[in-house]
Amino acid sequence: MNKDLSKRLEALREQIRHHEYRYYVLDDPEIADAQFDQLMNELKRIEAEHPALVTPDSPTQRVGGKPREGFLKAPHSSPMLSLDNTYNVDDLRKWEQRVHELAGREDIEYVCELKLDGMSLALHYEDGKLVRGITRGDGTVGEDVTLNVRTVRSIPLSISKEKLKKAGIPADFEVRGEMLIPLASFKKMNEDREAKGLSAFVNPRNATAGTVRQLEPSITAQRRLDYFAYSLLQNGNTYFERHWETLKALDAAGFKVNPARTLAANFDELWAFIQKEETRRETLPYEIDGIVIKVNQTSLQRELGFTGKAPRWAIAYKYAARAGVTKIEDILVQVGRTGKLTPVAALTPVFIGGTTVSRATLHNMDEIERLGVKIGDSVEVERGGDVIPKITRVVDDEAHPRGKKLFHMPEKCPICGTHVVRTEGEVDYRCVNVNCPAKLRESILHFASRGVMNIDGMGDALVNQLTDRGIVKNIADVYLLTEAELLKLDRMGEKSAQNVLSEIEGSKKLPLERVIFGLGIRFVGERTAQFLAEHFGSMDALMNASENELIQVNEVGPRIAKSIAEFFQEPKNRELVDQLRKAGLKLAGAKKQRGTKLAGKTFVLTGTMPRYSRDQAKKMIEDAGGRVAGSVSKKTDYVVAGADAGSKLDKAKELGVSVIDEKAMEELLGKP
Ligand code: IVH
């Protein structure tokens, strides 16, 4: 009977893999999201009933595996090289001439690809299954980041024999390519980080590296990483005779291969590609920093060989950095939603990469000191993708004399005049006035923004007028707006006013977690808001929770708990919630039905369990009312240890905490 069921499961998995491919690789789904979810839920249900039939390459197993304290080192099959760079057409011609000389002929074909600005990563497949993902590291040895790599939906976990055969790829092989974070995900990720009081990543490349090297795969899974394959090896050697065939085969096997590529028969053709792609650069959903040109023929690649770290058979043509030099006319101070003061440079407008830049953030006082900038200085400004322009250095030469005026953080808030404080140990200065109009403006913009209450049309222009004229004094006032009031504002016609009102009305239907996120409590980002909503089930329960109760919530530590408790101690904030309730917002949600069997008990999971993934075990414990913590302390009730348990097990023994296995855990859960 199990054999039949195994077959059925495999067929279902293949179906899901196909739809993942359509969606994440081709960006061309055949079915609606809801239908996909249905298939996935069916698979999850059957697997939950028959845990013994779960296979590691099942689409349900993207997130999971044993907890880690760090990454293991893993050797590369052959060195992962970097590329030499050129910045102009003359140097590129010189490179081509050298290739001609070394090859002893001139009829050489090249493949041109985008130079994606992420991080290179090797994927090892055995018997068609993804077994390892390794970062570049020093080129010889990288880090094993398999668990994180598995969460990337455009990377196949398993490829069928038939598919590999059709693509002409052997069962054991290695793919190399570029992992990246699309600009939209990058932006969202930084917004979430800022909402939580964390520092933003400076560019998508750093964000990719940070995400791939995350210790918690479930966090990697939430950030939409993407992977483009560009190389195929067997035992460390290029497999196909031509690079162009490699790209075709990777595509046929279901990897994402960048569609912007060309086979160039001569210099003119490759130069044309470089120029064409530069104009498309601004429209791409991810960052590129140039074009890679590779000799097509593998035997010729071997003949040309390497110099130091880079191959002679390939080169990167780097597009000009989107940077410019301009003057800092003044340094202004912006006040954010949390009262944080951000110094912003007002620049002499300069044209960089298709847009005029007249402002650049200086982040904080530490950054100003690090750069050593003064008002009147000439500076280099860089603009990358969707990132706010950034000042990279002060230019100091004969043509650009230094500025003289030092910048100081104001002692009073530039908006409301209240005292500014810098808490010890913190980088940031803050305005302490809870009613500061700047905070109000920013909190309303946050509340109305897309990932929160999604009130389309409520952007800067409208919010500025509403707050300046005192029509909206807190976020709940948004729900009291009338058409007559809106029509009195600048640039507001009847149609727009009605649209805004209907958007506001529509936002009332959004679930509790959005409202919690929308309140703008410090350190409470989207994910924390969701955990809070699930845990408490209503705003009232959340509002009246003590710090001790708050700490029981997934991923809520003392710092967040304190911030939430303080927020709701403020009578103004409690009134605000009442006002939102009167406006008809959803302040109760679906509280997760949690058992009480393990209420008050804290578990720590370590090592690999025979039957359950870490996430499954965590969920079972939480569903039974228990809590799963990340580290062992005296307060831990049980450490559930599987195979290869590490330092957490030692710690448990040292502190005398009960250590149990999976079976004993099942018994505690009351499983038959
Ligand atoms: S080929 C020996 N192709 O650029 C061949 N690399 O500066 C080396 N990169 O470490 C890599 N897009 O991370 C190749 N289409 C592409 C690429 C690419 C981006 C990155 C890669 C490499 C770096 C070298």
Side-chain angles (χ1 to χ4, degrees), residues 81-83 85 113-120 136 177-178 230 289 292 294 306 311 313-314 316:
L81 302 160
S82 62
L83 294 168
N85 295 324
E113 297 167 23
L114 300 185
K115 187 167 186 315
L116 305 158
D117 201 6
M119 71 187 284
S120 49
R136 177 164 183 271
E178 198 82 355
Y230 50 65
D289 58 350
V292 185
K294 302 173 184 173
F306 306 90
W313 50 265

Side-chain angles (χ1 to χ4, degrees), residues 8 73 109 218 265 347 522:
R8 217 181 99 209
K73 295 258 183 283
E109 270 185 338
S218 64
L347 306 166
R522 221 173 146 207

Side-chain angles (χ1 to χ4, degrees), residues 455-458 462 486 492 496-504:
I455 306 176
D456 209 17
M458 201 163 238
L462 176 57
L486 288 175
M492 181 63 78
S496 332
Q498 280 162 6
N499 281 346
V500 169
L501 288 174
S502 102
E503 285 283 326
I504 292 174

Side-chain angles (χ1 to χ4, degrees), residues 406-426:
L406 269 176
F407 168 80
H408 298 284
M409 261 305 177
E411 283 170 14
K412 298 210 162 122
C413 170
I415 308 294
C416 70
T418 307
H419 268 297
V420 161
V421 295
R422 182 186 211 176
T423 313
E424 250 198 58
E426 276 195 24

